[in-house]
Amino acid sequence: MMVCEYKPGLEGIAAAQSSISNVDGQKGILEYRGIRIEELAEKSTFLETAYLLIWGQLPTSEELKEFEHEVRHHRRIKYRIRDMMKCFPESGHPMDALQASAAALGLFYSRRDLHNPIYIRDAVVRLLATIPTMVAAFQLMRKGNDPVRPRDDLDYSANFLYMLSEKEPDPLAARIFDVCLILHAEHTMNASTFSARVTASTLTDPYAVVASAVGTLGGPLHGGANEEVIQMLEEIGSIANVRPYLEDCLERKAKIMGFGHRVYKVKDPRATILQDLAQQLFAKFGSDKYYDIAVEMERVVEEKLGHKGIYPNVDFYSGLVYAKLGIPTDLFTPIFAIARVTGWLAHWKEQLAENRIFRPTQVYNGLHEIAYTAIEER
Ligand code: CMC
């Protein structure tokens, strides 16, 4: 009999070979296609980074122009999808609305022409273009308003912020939001990417791949942590309360949201960039009392848990940035999804290039040869 080792959470088990991104968790390094995240955050745009991740190299200026043009002109969603979204309950979580809407796209584009590069390109463009429109549409519709039509004269991030508020955003706010999307675009073999690859390996359509990954991203141990960080900062309420709050968490063995990572054992490089972006926003638009609480939290957590390699992760400062941009807390995770659809699509393409369906095994620890008990005897 074959003996197989069981690793809870598949820790340390390689689920795929990938050339998309790389993390060095000891040194705090993240690279997309070999380029350091700090360099992309400074010099690139979200759509250029998406091109890099999905097609493997930086685009020429012609390639980028064409890609941006295609995405810009596919932003509108079908009225039937809007009508379907109008029936969603206002109390539903926007991640659930997004998962349902992404899956519904597959109803309209259900052809699975996975060997055809035109089909692949169309799906990439359509998903990158429409996911922000669907997030913004649900936000307005749940408040009883009609969705705002996308504006073709605005860039990707500026258009999303415009669709949320119907106001053209400040250029610094739009640039900072674009950098946030770059930072969240891809992150090796995390739970949602694994989910995307498993779904992709069955050769289903890319809309099902994205819908399944959105469902996985929503949990509080993954993308959902950024919402909980803001709730936690509100609950703490003052710098003086940071230490007693954290000591209480540690005593109860409760996880502190926005801290810790399976791979990083130092501060997540994305958290460092996000902290800097938060400071830029506060310098221009006024300070935020939660920022000071956050900085004190980082100090106390490092003192208490630094020896275990527990430092701020990407979710710790992202919520502060989004809150300052006026974005409601329960849209933080859908925004993570807007960015991460890039990584999921890159992994979808990579999975298809050398596909083998995922079919792991299990260690059975149940009973054998049990006789059936009649219902009246139980
Ligand atoms: N607060 C307090 N203790 C922690 C934390 C935390 N946030 N994270 C890990 N630890 C401790 C944990 O109690 C354990 O201690 P011990 O060895 O004494 O039992 C040790 O560190 C290892 O923790 P683990 O839970 O086995 O680590 P993991 O790799 O399974 O979990 C994690 C990683 C991200 C799920 C976890 O750190 C966590 O739950 N963090 C809070 C939620 C969060 O911020 N999630 C966002 C993750 S980054 C973005 C993303 O993936 O979407």
Side-chain angles (χ1 to χ4, degrees), residues 241-300:
N241 198 28
V242 168
R243 187 174 286 274
Y245 179 95
L246 291 177
E247 282 171 351
D248 177 59
C249 285
L250 295 179
E251 209 173 293
R252 290 184 290 110
K253 296 202 181 306
K255 290 275 172 68
I256 303 156
M257 290 294 136
F259 286 87
H261 200 277
R262 175 66 60 83
V263 185
Y264 291 116
K265 297 305 161 203
V266 293
K267 185 168 176 175
D268 184 329
R270 300 166 299 173
T272 307
I273 301 171
L274 282 159
Q275 187 172 6
D276 178 56
L277 297 179
Q279 283 166 344
Q280 288 183 39
L281 276 177
F282 302 148
K284 179 149 187 190
F285 301 107
S287 62
D288 183 306
K289 78 165 180 171
Y290 293 128
Y291 180 68
D292 297 333
I293 299 175
V295 171
E296 175 65 1
M297 274 192 80
E298 180 175 347
R299 202 182 64 75
V300 179

Side-chain angles (χ1 to χ4, degrees), residues 40-113:
L40 290 166
E42 187 193 330
K43 299 180 184 156
S44 188
T45 61
F46 172 63
L47 277 188
E48 186 188 55
T49 298
Y51 190 103
L52 167 74
L53 286 166
I54 296 168
W55 277 285
Q57 72 269 313
L58 285 169
T60 62
S61 65
E62 270 313 298
E63 286 166 338
L64 181 60
K65 234 165 57 204
E66 196 185 331
F67 184 52
E68 284 173 343
H69 178 84
E70 285 173 57
V71 172
R72 201 178 282 264
H73 293 285
H74 282 84
R75 287 173 180 166
R76 287 184 177 75
I77 47 174
K78 290 192 178 291
Y79 80 87
R80 287 194 188 171
I81 292 196
R82 283 202 305 272
D83 286 355
M84 177 193 81
M85 292 175 79
K86 277 185 189 151
C87 301
F88 293 170
E90 311 86 73
S91 57
H93 195 285
M95 275 304 266
D96 296 329
L98 179 59
Q99 188 184 22
S101 314
L105 276 181
L107 290 165
F108 294 93
Y109 310 102
S110 55
R111 195 167 50 97
R112 284 179 201 147
D113 204 356

Side-chain angles (χ1 to χ4, degrees), residues 1-4 362-364 368:
M1 198 212 307
M2 196 176 80
V3 179
C4 52
Q362 62 169 16
V363 176
Y364 177 66
H368 293 280

